[in-house]
Amino acid sequence: MPFTLPRGLGPLRLLIVFCLVASVFFFRSYLLPASDASHFNLAPAANSWWHGPNSGYSDLSDVDTEQDYAQAEDLGLISEITDFEDPAVPSPASSTPEATHKPAAAPGLFYKPFDASMPACRQLPGADKVVIIVKTGATEVFARLPEQLITLAECVPNLMIFSDMEQDLGHFHLYDALDEIGEEYRKHHEDFEFYHNIHRAHAMHGDVSVLGSEKGWNLDKWKNIPMLHKAYTKYPNADWYMTIDADTYLGWTNLLLLLSQLNPEEPLYSGCVYWHGPTQFAQGGTGYLLSRKAVENLEAIRTPEKIVEWEKETSTICCGDVMLGVAMGQAGVPVRGAWPMFQVDPPCALSWTDRYWCTPAITWHHVHTYDIQDLWEFEKTWINQTWNDDKPGSVPYLYKDAFEYFVQPNIAQKKSDWNNYSGDKTFTEPSEDHVKEDNDWDWKNDDEKQQLWDDLNEIQKQSTESFEACQTACMDDGGCLQFAWHPGTCKLNYSVRMGHAIEPKEEYSSGWILERVEAFKQGQGTCEQARFEID
Ligand SMILES: *[C@@H]1O[C@H](CO)[C@@H](O)[C@H](O)[C@H]1NC(C)=O
Ligand SMILES: *[C@@H]1O[C@H](CO)[C@@H](O)[C@H](O)[C@H]1NC(C)=O
Ligand SMILES: CC(=O)N[C@H]1CO[C@H](CO)[C@@H](O)[C@@H]1O
């Protein structure tokens, strides 16, 4: 005998031992790159659940795990995973011979309770049930999209980015939202001249970002309905479809918490509600949310005749979000308000009033790339610090929390070269060479301006002379929380806004009455209950 077996080791046990040894061998030789093995102690096993049968990734195994997510996403592999709660349960496919080569079925190595090799935000419950649709345009792709891709895309298993041109950005794929628009419009409507121009420029490796954003805007309105249809076609089993623009920050943690309280079987179309003529619609940039049922209702009326009708109406209507409002109305799904969870300002421009305070923050529109980065760091820290293995991501962050992070540490009695957007009251003496005040004051006629000035009391008139005098005028006005001064003008405001740094040559300084800000904050209470409210 070449070697002796321990006593009692039957053929079955021998087979098991053999399999164990063989799988350890397999694991080492195929999955751990020879160098830097330590880096991969967890990653391969954890990554495996999205690698799927088509595991062409072993060559790439020395790229960042984060990039891996993105690549997997591009290939649509992640969308196949539906059992987020317990991915360790082998799927039926894993018993086929081919599938046994997947480094998959290693129960216990998976990311429950918490897998440090994967972003925490990607492990939040319900993440795989949501499709995030990002609408952008070819001219802004390089300016706006990369920041979304290095932040939000890390969290979202089902992300689709729509533009007016099919394009790759790194390993992300951008879909052309307009390729199925009826020929009548695609070939002949003036909005589509721009479409063909950018396609031509792109084919010639040209810079499409210089091709005029205004024309891009006209084209933009054609996207909303087709985008939704394409997202539904790709992910028909998702529960939720959420659309944002490239300059919208999406609070992923809070969105999932909101969704966990709603029923996707009920029709829901929700966002920041505006009117356009007789149409009520959810504004696009602040983001809108649709339940599966709502999308199904829309799909149900989407006949070829209806598509023709929608395209005809799109050709004359102002905007794509309004057009979706029209279509949703026809599908029998009225829009419902999600303000202020969905709202229009970045942290620096928001007025932190009591209406916001105890509400979870879900969207921030008009964000710059640096705003996205800041909000992202805030959210990541939040997830980390409130993590609970039994209930990951169960603690929403409220505007109050964002105030404590973004505003409170950064306001002061005096900040030079800073504009805090004060403007409830503007004290200024009209003159020939008056600079713009960037508020209502500019729109008044000369007599009104003079009247305003004449009606001021002495403290208010003096307030235009120095920062300190402006501060005094704010102190003198019981409701004033902040003020801004530049030579000749003092402005007061009754709510807190952060504002931003400006160039010294503008000679702007801002200040806050810190005790009053603190009193405002105390007056709001402790927010026992997060206000997840849809009207
Ligand atoms: C939180 O951050 C720490 C330090 O970076 C890290 O070790 C830990 O894994 C993180 N936990 C979660 C749940 O994100
Ligand atoms: C000043 O405060 C009011 C609320 O009191 C707010 O609506 C407004 O946006 C703030 N800023 C300006 C510039 O008016
Ligand atoms: C509301 C308001 O006054 N906004 C102004 C703040 O300051 C910037 C730059 O100084 C202006 O562009 C805004 O219009």
Side-chain angles (χ1 to χ4, degrees), residues 208-313:
V208 306
S209 67
V210 299
L211 289 179
S213 46
E214 201 175 306
K215 289 179 179 159
W217 171 244
N218 293 339
L219 198 53
D220 201 65
K221 67 179 180 185
W222 294 85
K223 291 175 194 158
N224 298 59
I225 294 180
M227 266 176 2
L228 189 60
H229 173 69
K230 282 168 185 273
Y232 178 75
T233 310
K234 184 157 190 226
Y235 299 108
N237 298 319
D239 284 346
W240 303 103
Y241 301 82
M242 172 85 197
T243 305
I244 58 170
D245 281 354
D247 64 342
T248 312
Y249 180 85
L250 177 67
W252 177 237
T253 313
N254 284 348
L255 176 69
L256 294 178
L257 280 173
L258 169 68
L259 299 181
S260 71
Q261 304 175 23
L262 301 172
N263 179 1
E265 301 306 330
E266 280 165 19
L268 178 72
Y269 161 46
S270 183
C272 243
V273 178
Y274 288 75
W275 285 95
H276 178 81
T279 308
Q280 254 193 316
F281 68 101
Q283 204 263 336
T286 50
Y288 52 82
L289 171 69
L290 290 142
S291 65
R292 178 180 49 226
K293 184 68 186 164
V295 182
E296 281 169 358
N297 287 0
L298 185 68
E299 289 288 317
I301 62 166
R302 189 181 177 278
T303 58
E305 299 75 44
K306 200 72 187 172
I307 295 172
V308 170
E309 193 187 312
W310 284 339
E311 289 181 350
K312 183 151 182 272
E313 189 157 356

Side-chain angles (χ1 to χ4, degrees), residues 419 421 437-438 497 500 502 506:
N419 183 354
Y421 300 107
E437 300 296 348
D438 280 319
R497 268 199 189 186
H500 50 82
I502 57 172
E506 298 194 39

